[in-house]
Each structure stands twice: as structure tokens, then as C-alpha cells.
Amino acid sequence: MTERMHLAFDLSWTHLEGRWRMPGSWTGRTYPDFRMYEEVARIAERGCIDMIFFGDGTGIPSTWRGSTAAAIQWGIGWPRLDMSPTIAALSRVTSHIGFGLTYASTFMHPFYTARLLASLDHLSGGRIAFNVITSSRRADAANYGFDELMEHGLRYERLEEFIAVCKALWDGIDPDAMVWDRETGQVGRPGAVRAINHAGAFFKVRGPLNTPPLPQGRPVILQAGASPRGIQASARVADVVFGASKSLELQVQHRQELDQALAAEGRAAGSVGILWDILLTVGETAEAAQRQKQALLEAIPLEAAGAFISHHAGYDFSQLPPRFSLKELNERIAATQASPVGFVYRLAHEFGEATEMTRDEFFRQGMQEATGFNDTFAGDAVQVADRLEEIFVATGSKGGFMVAHPQCTPRDLLNVVDFLVPELRRRGRFRESYEGTTLRHNLLGQA
Ligand SMILES: Cc1cc2nc3c(=O)[nH]c(=O)nc-3n(C[C@H](O)[C@H](O)[C@H](O)COP(=O)(O)O)c2cc1C
């Protein structure tokens, strides 16, 4: 049987970073007007999309020139709400779609996070996913008492312990813990709610978690590690991996590395799907899609692009010398504990490590990165479906795509639901209706 793919909408930056003024976006509505999210959730559920996803960050980008000025002036990574109340509200106007929420294990406490996610899982009837990240963003770290980024490997040790604590807390409540017997007055079964007595390198948590058992047992765990250590962590903790947009060759390599890491953890190769982050412009015609993609290059000024790439790399590119090699630059980035596999690594992969660039050449690439131009695949529904199938077939089972950072909302997402989804269905690649009511059921097939 033709395997079906999963689709999610990544709304992390809806209506920000220049996208709020692109043709096809709402006019007269600005972030964070709740009606925008409500409208998108209804569109997505009409298309039987698996999940709406929200990434997160708590700092205002300030790596560029050591200042928040450019970020605030141009709306780069700012403003930004904690999305858990929005998810709570959205769960009341939808019935099947899941919600992905992001918190950084580098800064948060697992007891608070496990309890919050349990509460949301109840409110939504079992439709919550937790995207657990290790933050490499200096502006975020500075809000939680760090002068420097935590060492890359240590971030992942903390992430693994964080998830172990969360899972122990959720598993410490048996599914039949609640009794609610009106005759006797018994509410719960004492033996069904257990302390965890965790004492580790980062956290000390006695438990038990004081919530009823979760509708899903545990929220679905998403993880986006991309470095070798990050991939090892996803093999240890993830139900689904969130993979960065990159060349097909690098995606196939990521799949292979994940399968090796899964085997090393005693999990079957292919048992964890990858949802690939993908930027799509689906047009009624191929020409219309290409025209729309070109408009991306006008979305933000150069300074805004500098603030964007510096924030995401954790490295101030305003200080670049007039000329440098990509290898040398990536080594300098890795030495600062930022991610070794970010934008510059991908440039080095594309152009060759030894390639030298001038500042102007680098910032031209940076503009394409910041606007999503480089990664945007534009085409009509048939072309886009061909592209998705190619990646899906090459990178293994149980996965799919996270349609990310839409260029304009709601037009882009309407086009996905009205043009792309029917084309994928014609090919037997996408569901006709939701299989169940929990995210665990729809996304992982675990009823
Ligand atoms: C698709 C995707 C989504 C991500 N979302 C976030 C996010 O919302 N917030 C954040 O601070 N980092 C986010 N990250 C960064 C990752 O947590 C991680 O730092 C990055 O993938 C680098 O991998 P490494 O830590 O293994 O070097 C995301 C990464 C990817 C690939």
C-alpha cells in the first residue's frame, strides 16, 4: 500500500518577519490577533492536517551588533507570546487537529513543564505535542541567568534528563487512577499515583505529578537535534523528529544517521519518522507561484536579515572581516558553543568548505536565508506534490512535512489545503479523514 505522509503547519512566524505585508496576507490584522490563529486552525482542520506547530524563543534577537534595535525595528523574532494559552483557546474551536508547543530544556524546569503539558493535554482531549529544544540563542540564555551559552554537549545531557523526568512523572500516574465513586466518595486510587524520587545531575524532583492521568498517556515528543549529539538525543527521546530544511542529499544522510542512532538505542531503524521543515508556495499555476516567491526578496531590509541570521547562528555577523573562508567561519561559530550545523555549515556544504566569500556575497546569501527564499519550493500542486513525494520516499517511513514560515497567511495555507492536499489524496499519499481524536493516534498510529 502507498504510505501516507503527515502534514503539519509551522506557524512560528506567521505574520512576522516581513510576512505580514506580503501580498496574500491579512490586512487590518496584526500579531497577535487571536482571530488569525482561529482562522488558520479551521483551515488546517478542513484539510485534515495533523498538527499546528509553534516554535519558541524568549529573547529579543540581540546578537547582531549586540543590540535589540534591528529586531524591534524590523520585527525579527519579535514580538512573541508564550503560545500555551493560544493553544488552549484553539483547542476549544477544533476537534481533531494537534498542537505542538516548544520549550527549552536548557532553561525550564521539568516539573513545571510536565504539569503544564498535562493540563493542555486534558483541555485539548489528547492533542498536544512537546517540541523539546536545546537553545543556542544568546538572547534567550541571558533571560535565564546565563552569561554564556551552555556547552553544546551539556545542553543535550540536560535535555535527556529533562525528558526522563517528564516521562517518569507522566508514567507515575496509572490510566485507572481516577475512581469518582459517588456512593463511597472515593476519588482516586492511592497506589496508582507514585513519586519518582529523581535525583540527577541537573534536577531533583520527588513527585508525584498532581494531575489526573493524561488522555494520551504522554504528549507526543518532538525533537529537532541536527548535530551528531543532537541526533543521538532524538534517538533517545523523540516520537517524531523535526528536521531542518536542507538538500535531499543531507536529508538522506540525516535519515541514515538517525537510523544508526536508533539502532544504538535498541529502537528499530525507521521507527521514528522525520517531519521535514519545508517552505512552500503552492500556486494555482507554476508562474503565479514563482512570481510570489520572487516577492520574498523584498520582504525585509538587509539589516533585518543580518539580525535574523546572527540570532539563529548565535554569532554576530556584523563583525565579519571583508573576506573569509566558510570553513574558518564555521569553526569560529562552533567554538562559541552555537550549533555547528547551522546556516554557515549549509553554505559550506553547498559551495565547498574552502570557498572564500566577501561580506557582500555572504549577506546576499543571508538575505535569501532570512526571507526563506533559498529554501522555498514554489510550484503548482503537481510540482509540489512531486517534490514532497521524492523527499518522502527517499527519507523513510512515518514522516512527512512541516509546512513552515508561510510567506503569506492565510493565502499560502489555503492553497496547501485547497490545491496540494487534493493532489496528494489523488496519489493516495494523504488521509481523507482523521483516523482518531488524539494526536498520538493520527500522527503515530497509536490508538
Ligand atoms: C525544524 C527546526 C525547528 C526548531 N525550532 C526551534 C525553536 O523553536 N526554538 C529554538 O530555540 N530552537 C529551535 N531549533 C533549533 C534546535 O533546537 C537545534 O538547536 C538545532 O537544530 C541545531 O541542532 P544541534 O543543537 O544538534 O546543533 C529548531 C531546529 C529545527 C531544525
Side-chain angles (χ1 to χ4, degrees), residues 177-250:
M178 307 312 295
V179 179
W180 298 119
D181 187 328
R182 281 183 85 90
E183 297 270 303
T184 64
Q186 186 178 354
V187 175
R189 291 196 308 109
V193 180
R194 291 173 299 277
I196 64 167
N197 295 312
H198 175 89
F202 299 93
F203 306 109
K204 195 169 175 197
V205 180
R206 190 181 60 187
L209 191 65
N210 59 348
T211 70
L214 280 66
Q216 294 186 103
R218 294 170 181 173
V220 172
I221 306 289
L222 290 170
Q223 213 279 319
S227 60
R229 182 63 184 92
I231 290 174
Q232 183 183 44
S234 26
R236 289 181 177 160
V237 308
D239 292 313
V240 183
V241 164
F242 190 0
S245 167
K246 48 194 168 191
S247 67
L248 184 58
E249 185 195 345
L250 284 179

Side-chain angles (χ1 to χ4, degrees), residues 12-265:
S12 304
W13 298 112
T14 284
H15 229 46
L16 285 173
E17 297 182 343
R19 288 160 173 82
W20 58 279
R21 63 194 194 105
M22 300 295 281
S25 64
W26 288 287
T27 50
R29 282 188 188 174
T30 51
Y31 179 92
D33 187 332
F34 177 72
R35 291 171 300 172
M36 302 193 304
Y37 293 104
E38 197 175 340
E39 191 177 330
V40 169
R42 291 188 201 281
I43 292 167
E45 200 160 72
R46 179 161 65 75
C48 296
I49 301 299
D50 289 81
M51 172 172 64
I52 288 177
F53 172 86
F54 299 101
D56 198 26
T58 55
I60 303 179
S62 59
T63 308
W64 174 258
R65 298 194 200 286
S67 163
T68 55
I72 292 174
Q73 185 164 0
W74 305 115
I76 301 299
W78 177 87
R80 166 147 256 184
L81 294 179
D82 184 312
M83 295 314 283
S84 60
T86 302
I87 288 177
L90 287 177
S91 73
R92 306 318 299 157
V93 297
T94 52
S95 53
H96 289 79
I97 197 157
F99 301 99
L101 182 60
T102 299
Y103 287 112
S105 56
T106 316
F107 312 128
M108 301 291 283
H109 195 283
F111 188 88
Y112 173 78
T113 310
R115 187 162 178 257
L116 174 66
L117 291 163
S119 308
L120 286 171
D121 207 47
H122 273 281
L123 199 60
S124 64
R127 293 188 278 141
I128 296 297
F130 173 30
N131 178 43
V132 58
I133 54 163
T134 63
S135 177
S136 58
R137 300 181 185 170
R138 288 173 197 280
D140 295 30
N143 288 336
Y144 290 92
F146 295 93
D147 293 325
E148 274 308 318
L149 287 181
M150 188 184 291
E151 192 262 317
H152 187 267
L154 209 58
R155 291 205 290 271
Y156 277 104
E157 280 172 40
R158 184 175 158 117
L159 178 145
E160 287 169 0
E161 190 179 328
F162 189 101
I163 289 293
V165 171
C166 289
K167 285 183 174 170
L169 286 167
W170 295 321
D171 294 350
I173 317 163
D174 288 342
D176 62 353
M178 307 312 295
V179 179
W180 298 119
D181 187 328
R182 281 183 85 90
E183 297 270 303
T184 64
Q186 186 178 354
V187 175
R189 291 196 308 109
V193 180
R194 291 173 299 277
I196 64 167
N197 295 312
H198 175 89
F202 299 93
F203 306 109
K204 195 169 175 197
V205 180
R206 190 181 60 187
L209 191 65
N210 59 348
T211 70
L214 280 66
Q216 294 186 103
R218 294 170 181 173
V220 172
I221 306 289
L222 290 170
Q223 213 279 319
S227 60
R229 182 63 184 92
I231 290 174
Q232 183 183 44
S234 26
R236 289 181 177 160
V237 308
D239 292 313
V240 183
V241 164
F242 190 0
S245 167
K246 48 194 168 191
S247 67
L248 184 58
E249 185 195 345
L250 284 179
Q251 288 176 320
V252 170
Q253 186 184 323
H254 189 156
R255 176 76 252 176
Q256 286 165 353
E257 287 169 5
L258 178 63
D259 281 341
Q260 282 161 12
L262 285 168
E265 298 302 319

